[in-house]
Amino acid sequence: EISNDEYITEINPNDVICGRGSGPNIHEGNIRFRLLVAEREAEYRATNKRPRKSNIARDIIKKVFERNGRFLKKIEPKNPLCAVNT
């Protein structure tokens, strides 16, 4: 398990970078993540059962991890990235 104390210096193609702007938006892992979300969007919107919605979100996160992806966030603008505990 990756902790928030571990700094990431290399970004993998399946990593999802948390944040806004062109950096995260054009990163390959973020594009793949958005495709995974789009695949499940209709199912998510079709249910009003909170446990089902949670399961869909967990399934998407699990797929990112199965591809050796991580969810990363910047600590400070000039510092490296840090893994987000999910």
Side-chain angles (χ1 to χ4, degrees), residues 3 12 17 37 41-42 54-55 58-59 67 73 76-77 80:
S3 74
N12 299 323
I17 303 170
V37 170
E41 182 179 10
S54 294
N55 285 338
R58 271 194 290 278
D59 289 347
R67 296 174 179 176
K73 67 176 181 176
E76 294 176 18

Side-chain angles (χ1 to χ4, degrees), residues 33-83:
F33 177 71
R34 287 195 303 273
L35 290 173
L36 289 172
V37 170
E39 287 173 5
R40 303 293 297 271
E41 182 179 10
E43 180 185 359
Y44 185 89
R45 290 182 184 271
T47 186
N48 59 1
K49 298 185 183 336
R50 195 156 200 71
R52 183 67 191 134
K53 288 180 181 269
S54 294
N55 285 338
I56 292 168
R58 271 194 290 278
D59 289 347
I60 293 169
I61 292 168
K62 182 179 172 186
K63 284 187 179 184
V64 171
F65 288 139
E66 285 173 353
R67 296 174 179 176
N68 294 317
R70 302 165 292 184
F71 290 87
L72 307 175
K73 67 176 181 176
K74 281 195 175 195
I75 307 295
E76 294 176 18
K78 294 182 180 181
N79 285 346
L81 295 165
C82 178

Side-chain angles (χ1 to χ4, degrees), residues 17 19-28 30-31 34:
I17 303 170
R20 298 171 54 177
S22 62
N25 282 338
I26 62 172
H27 177 65
E28 190 175 349
N30 289 54
I31 294 168
R34 287 195 303 273

